Amino acid sequence: MHNQIHTSLLQWYKINGRHDLPWRITDDPYKIYLSEIMLQQTQVKTVLERFYFPFLEKFPTLLDVAQSDLDDVLKMWEGLGYYTRAKNLHTAAKKCNGILPNNAFELLELPGIGRSTAHAISAFAYKEPLPILDANVKRILHRYFAIEKRDEKLLWKAAYELFDSGNPFNYNQAMMDIGSMVCLARKPLCDVCPFEKGCEGKSVPLKYPQPKIKKIKPIRNRIIVVYTRNGQFALSQRKERFLHGLWGFMQYEELENNEGKFLGHITQHYSHFTLQADVYISEEDFVNEDGEWFSREEINFLSLSRADYKVLQFID
Ligand code: SF4
């Protein structure tokens, strides 16, 4: 049904596609999996220049991840953000004993692997004929089929309809490239798009998909206290889902006792809230069973959140 489109798509990919990306020239499922997870919330350039290779150097195989402490995995993830991804990667590595299943159905059983990621790993590593549905692909489908509504079910249906099952690898890679290079969110380049002929939304592409209703980010007001004694500092490991496993200075919603000496104020924007915190330093005894004492040098080996790095600047 879409034979002509598939031919133009593959031709476009042959000439314009990013064939040099390291995760495209390997069929090692672990390396593909790692790239998929890192790329979920981060741009290709950042992943490529700062995170992908150092991570693989430290953990050459998924078994190395499985046999490591979560702290070591988080340390290599530091700066990449969305730390739940690293935690899930570690849990998944342990769950499958460092050997990924060879099909999307079983990949889906692992934590942090959703349907599109499972399809991507399986299509790229095992050539399983399955379409993917990441943010870029969604945008193309919305426009190609003129679908205004943001409806996951409808988009999966469209993804299967347009899919070239004879070329799962090249088709999916081409879709990702067109999404990031041609069918741009604000300025789609329809004139050079291989979908131009059949695209139902090209006369008003910005209508598809319908704009998201903007939510106002809540502000979290906190007090951060740097407790210190004998040249050491107290930190605890975060337990909540967000930032789980990272180390940080003591953080409170409010304090009953004297906080100590005021050091300054920090602001940190996260995806779903903004942290506003006054930072104090105190030599008072504190009681907190989660707290552990570290020298300044030892702190360099811990994984900290961006907010805690800002706090660190006050004491350096
Ligand atoms: S023709 Fe335009 S709107 Fe349609 S898929 Fe291509 S770039 Fe997007």
Side-chain angles (χ1 to χ4, degrees):
M1 187 179 161
H2 295 288
N3 283 352
Q4 224 180 324
I5 289 289
H6 291 158
T7 309
S8 342
L9 187 76
L10 294 179
Q11 271 170 358
W12 181 93
Y13 181 61
K14 205 170 163 190
I15 300 165
N16 305 290
R18 293 204 60 184
H19 304 280
D20 57 336
L21 294 171
W23 45 86
R24 286 190 182 174
I25 50 176
T26 177
D27 55 8
D28 180 338
Y30 162 56
K31 291 180 181 166
I32 293 167
Y33 166 41
L34 180 68
S35 72
E36 285 297 320
I37 299 297
M38 284 188 167
L39 290 166
Q40 272 172 8
Q41 320 275 358
T42 315
Q43 291 193 337
V44 171
K45 193 171 179 286
T46 313
V47 169
L48 206 53
E49 289 175 2
R50 292 176 41 210
F51 295 98
Y52 185 68
F53 293 111
F55 195 94
L56 284 176
E57 202 172 310
K58 173 92 178 167
F59 308 108
T61 68
L62 192 59
L63 190 61
D64 294 313
V65 178
Q67 291 172 344
S68 301
D69 287 338
L70 175 61
D71 271 355
D72 294 332
V73 177
L74 286 169
K75 189 73 195 158
M76 295 310 292
W77 210 268
E78 208 177 62
L80 195 55
Y82 298 92
Y83 295 93
T84 314
R85 294 183 293 176
K87 197 180 151 253
N88 282 337
L89 175 74
H90 184 248
T91 314
K94 281 191 177 302
K95 195 171 172 189
C96 68
N97 288 321
I99 300 170
L100 282 171
N102 65 358
N103 60 79
F105 185 75
E106 287 174 59
L107 281 163
L108 260 172
E109 307 256 297
L110 296 174
I113 299 187
R115 188 172 172 192
S116 182
T117 306
H119 284 200
I121 299 167
S122 201
F124 300 149
Y126 311 122
K127 311 290 178 284
E128 202 178 352
L130 294 168
I132 59 170
L133 192 61
D134 69 4
N136 282 331
V137 175
K138 281 182 183 173
R139 191 166 55 252
I140 299 171
L141 295 171
H142 269 292
R143 289 170 174 172
Y144 185 78
F145 291 105
I147 302 168
E148 272 187 72
K149 200 173 163 200
R150 293 174 183 268
D151 180 330
E152 197 84 2
K153 221 166 148 191
L154 216 61
L155 288 177
W156 273 114
K157 205 164 154 254
Y160 273 98
E161 189 182 330
L162 192 61
F163 184 52
D164 180 355
S165 57
N167 296 289
F169 184 95
N170 285 345
Y171 171 87
N172 283 324
Q173 300 287 13
M175 287 295 275
M176 292 199 291
D177 282 354
I178 292 168
S180 64
M181 293 157 70
V182 180
C183 194
L184 305 172
R186 290 201 189 95
K187 274 195 180 169
L189 309 171
C190 301
D191 291 349
V192 294
C193 179
F195 287 126
E196 200 254 342
K197 282 214 170 68
C199 180
E200 291 179 40
K202 73 173 181 217
S203 55
V204 271
L206 300 194
K207 199 173 147 195
Y208 310 100
Q210 60 191 185
K212 275 186 189 161
I213 299 160
K214 273 201 180 152
K215 284 187 198 152
I216 297 167
K217 264 198 227 176
I219 291 177
R220 272 188 205 172
N221 289 307
R222 294 287 184 271
I223 294 164
I224 295 176
V225 185
V226 180
Y227 286 103
T228 179
R229 73 175 184 207
N230 306 326
Q232 291 189 309
F233 302 93
L235 289 95
S236 68
Q237 205 163 17
R238 305 265 186 256
K239 289 211 175 76
E240 64 269 26
R241 194 168 161 265
F242 182 67
L243 300 181
H244 185 103
L246 296 188
W247 289 87
F249 296 98
M250 298 302 154
Q251 217 179 88
Y252 305 92
E253 283 181 40
E254 55 185 54
L255 274 185
E256 282 172 16
N257 301 327
N258 181 11
E259 301 90 359
K261 187 178 147 219
F262 179 69
L263 289 179
H265 184 87
I266 62 155
T267 301
Q268 181 65 46
H269 299 285
Y270 292 107
S271 56
H272 54 289
F273 70 91
T274 297
L275 174 75
Q276 297 279 8
D278 284 338
V279 183
Y280 295 84
I281 189 158
S282 171
E283 291 185 5
E284 300 230 336
D285 263 354
F286 85 108
V287 185
N288 186 326
E289 56 195 32
D290 295 332
E292 290 182 37
W293 293 94
F294 299 93
S295 70
R296 177 63 191 86
E297 189 164 347
E298 285 167 336
I299 293 175
N300 288 339
F301 295 96
L302 302 176
S303 306
L304 304 185
S305 73
R306 286 192 189 158
D308 287 290
Y309 271 113
K310 287 183 180 171
V311 174
L312 212 48
Q313 286 175 2
F314 290 127
I315 57 172
D316 279 342

